[in-house]
Amino acid sequence: MIPLSVLDLSVVTTGTKPAAALRNSIDLARHVDGLGYVRYWLAEHHNLASVASPAPDVMIGQIAAVTKHIRVGSGGVMLPNHAPLVVAERFKMLEALFPGRIDLGLGRAPGTDGATAYALRSRLDRREGDDFLERLHELILWETREFPSGHPYNNVVAMPDDTKLPPIWLLGSSDYSSELAAQVGMGFAFAHHFASHDAIDAMVHYRNRFQPSAWRASPHAILAVAVITAETDQEAEKLATSFDLNRLRRDRGQYLPLPSVEEALAYPYTDSERTSIARNRSRLFVGNPATVQKKLQPLIDASKPDELMVITAVYDHEARKKSYSLLAEAFGLAKRAA
């Protein structure tokens, strides 16, 4: 059975305010730590009414402090929003405090709209165009200390200097990050839950082109998928109606809190909206545990991930915990943990 991990957006609902959503993330992390999940990653998003956490590094520290076994990391830090030195310092601190349990996942996207991205970056030394590769190179140099002779950064040390950076993972929803992760020999995570690019192509491409490095001797590919599981198919389908309406609104640029099942069921969908929902369902796996496994297996067989990272966004927090419990049981996590 494939290992399972969690991707958490600290989802805000119409009945759960952002502060409560953050506390729910901590509660969920404790829950899945006991179920045998191997990783708990937190995303970086800004100016989104549906996502409570803009600072994964802060949440990583809180969650690592209340869990025992699970690795905790970023899924991810949007590197263009931050000075590489700041990222190096914060994640070296986390690694020093929780040795062997921290992951540094990096993304290229701003995680927000244009105006907010400008507000995040306006005080940084901005360069025109996509400077992700340049920032990644600088971040690596803070670890390797291989700045050119005479470079002023040779006199700057990312503290704590007796701690290495945690493992770096490159996140992507296209073939760009899969190619880059393979070239530099880092871990790779593919966002199937919102990507338009073919997950199988990206995952196979990464594995076939991987070059061993000081970061990793062999490839490790994580496939992130959206899953909603319940005791019955009917119950799972009912829970998924919140996702359906939320996704429909997101496609229109309306990033609202996740609606309740009652609101979603009462919504007067047009035929075109129902068509959009059916199309979006290609990125969501819904059903009882056996149904979800059956739906996931062809994708797992074809893309051959080393790990499945699950994001479950439902209105009721207890239903979300139950979804992860059922999935853990179906994939035999408890037996492996024992």
Side-chain angles (χ1 to χ4, degrees), residues 242-318:
S242 293
F243 174 95
D244 292 336
L245 179 55
N246 188 250
R247 183 72 200 194
L248 187 67
R249 288 169 169 171
R250 284 172 65 100
D251 289 345
R252 297 170 177 168
Q254 300 172 0
Y255 293 87
L256 302 174
L258 191 72
S260 67
V261 169
E262 290 74 19
E263 180 182 351
L265 290 175
Y267 185 89
Y269 297 98
T270 65
D271 289 342
S272 63
E273 287 173 335
R274 293 187 185 280
T275 299
S276 295
I277 287 172
R279 184 169 58 249
N280 288 330
R281 277 296 188 96
S282 65
R283 300 191 188 100
L284 178 65
F285 300 88
V286 181
N288 69 46
T291 298
V292 167
Q293 270 193 307
K294 184 177 180 180
K295 290 179 177 180
L296 279 170
Q297 201 59 51
L299 180 61
I300 294 172
D301 292 341
S303 61
K304 294 180 172 58
D306 297 287
E307 196 174 315
L308 207 61
M309 183 166 279
V310 179
I311 176 171
T312 298
V314 296
Y315 182 81
D316 181 71
H317 179 59
E318 291 303 318

Side-chain angles (χ1 to χ4, degrees), residues 48-69:
L48 294 182
S50 56
V51 180
S53 173
D57 52 326
V58 175
M59 289 298 293
I60 288 168
Q62 295 296 312
I63 286 173
V66 299
T67 52
K68 295 179 179 179
H69 308 292

Side-chain angles (χ1 to χ4, degrees), residues 168-251:
I168 297 179
W169 301 77
L170 300 188
L171 317 182
S173 57
S174 68
D175 58 349
Y176 176 91
S177 291
S178 65
E179 175 69 28
L180 180 57
Q183 286 183 7
V184 299
M186 292 179 177
F188 174 60
F190 185 81
H192 174 274
H193 55 292
F194 66 81
S196 57
H197 188 81
D198 181 53
I200 298 169
D201 175 74
M203 300 284 278
V204 171
H205 184 91
Y206 164 72
R207 192 173 297 281
N208 289 342
R209 293 179 178 247
F210 182 85
Q211 300 177 27
S213 70
W215 300 98
R216 296 198 66 87
S218 59
H220 191 108
I222 297 174
L223 182 63
V225 293
V227 175
I228 296 175
T229 308
E231 294 282 2
T232 66
D233 287 344
Q234 292 78 10
E235 185 181 354
E237 287 290 341
K238 187 176 179 181
L239 291 173
T241 58
S242 293
F243 174 95
D244 292 336
L245 179 55
N246 188 250
R247 183 72 200 194
L248 187 67
R249 288 169 169 171
R250 284 172 65 100
D251 289 345

Side-chain angles (χ1 to χ4, degrees), residues 10-269:
S10 300
V11 174
V12 180
T13 76
T14 54
T16 307
K17 299 298 183 184
L22 295 176
R23 291 190 290 271
N24 283 345
S25 289
I26 294 172
D27 181 59
L28 179 63
R30 284 197 190 99
H31 179 67
V32 298
D33 188 34
L35 294 174
Y37 283 78
V38 298
R39 258 176 253 280
Y40 197 100
W41 280 8
L42 300 118
E44 175 187 339
H45 291 284
H46 304 271
N47 194 34
L48 294 182
S50 56
V51 180
S53 173
D57 52 326
V58 175
M59 289 298 293
I60 288 168
Q62 295 296 312
I63 286 173
V66 299
T67 52
K68 295 179 179 179
H69 308 292
I70 199 165
R71 296 187 66 94
V72 191
S74 55
V77 166
M78 300 295 105
L79 189 54
N81 294 342
H82 308 279
L85 174 58
V86 172
V87 176
E89 289 176 330
R90 291 178 180 177
F91 277 82
K92 282 163 73 73
M93 281 184 65
L94 288 166
E95 180 66 20
L97 292 169
F98 308 100
R101 292 186 55 209
I102 304 300
D103 293 323
L104 172 52
L106 300 172
R108 296 170 57 217
T112 188
D113 59 276
T116 308
Y118 180 82
L120 286 165
R121 305 173 186 181
S122 62
R123 301 297 180 180
L124 299 176
D125 179 19
R126 296 187 70 220
R127 293 164 178 79
E128 294 301 323
D130 186 349
D131 63 351
F132 176 80
L133 191 56
E134 184 178 349
R135 289 175 182 269
L136 177 62
H137 187 208
E138 183 182 326
L139 176 63
I140 291 171
L141 288 173
W142 287 117
E143 176 68 12
T144 64
R145 307 300 307 166
E146 294 175 348
F147 290 106
S149 178
H151 196 286
Y153 288 177
N154 280 315
N155 298 318
V156 182
V157 176
M159 293 295 288
D161 62 353
D162 63 342
T163 303
K164 292 183 176 296
L165 277 176
I168 297 179
W169 301 77
L170 300 188
L171 317 182
S173 57
S174 68
D175 58 349
Y176 176 91
S177 291
S178 65
E179 175 69 28
L180 180 57
Q183 286 183 7
V184 299
M186 292 179 177
F188 174 60
F190 185 81
H192 174 274
H193 55 292
F194 66 81
S196 57
H197 188 81
D198 181 53
I200 298 169
D201 175 74
M203 300 284 278
V204 171
H205 184 91
Y206 164 72
R207 192 173 297 281
N208 289 342
R209 293 179 178 247
F210 182 85
Q211 300 177 27
S213 70
W215 300 98
R216 296 198 66 87
S218 59
H220 191 108
I222 297 174
L223 182 63
V225 293
V227 175
I228 296 175
T229 308
E231 294 282 2
T232 66
D233 287 344
Q234 292 78 10
E235 185 181 354
E237 287 290 341
K238 187 176 179 181
L239 291 173
T241 58
S242 293
F243 174 95
D244 292 336
L245 179 55
N246 188 250
R247 183 72 200 194
L248 187 67
R249 288 169 169 171
R250 284 172 65 100
D251 289 345
R252 297 170 177 168
Q254 300 172 0
Y255 293 87
L256 302 174
L258 191 72
S260 67
V261 169
E262 290 74 19
E263 180 182 351
L265 290 175
Y267 185 89
Y269 297 98

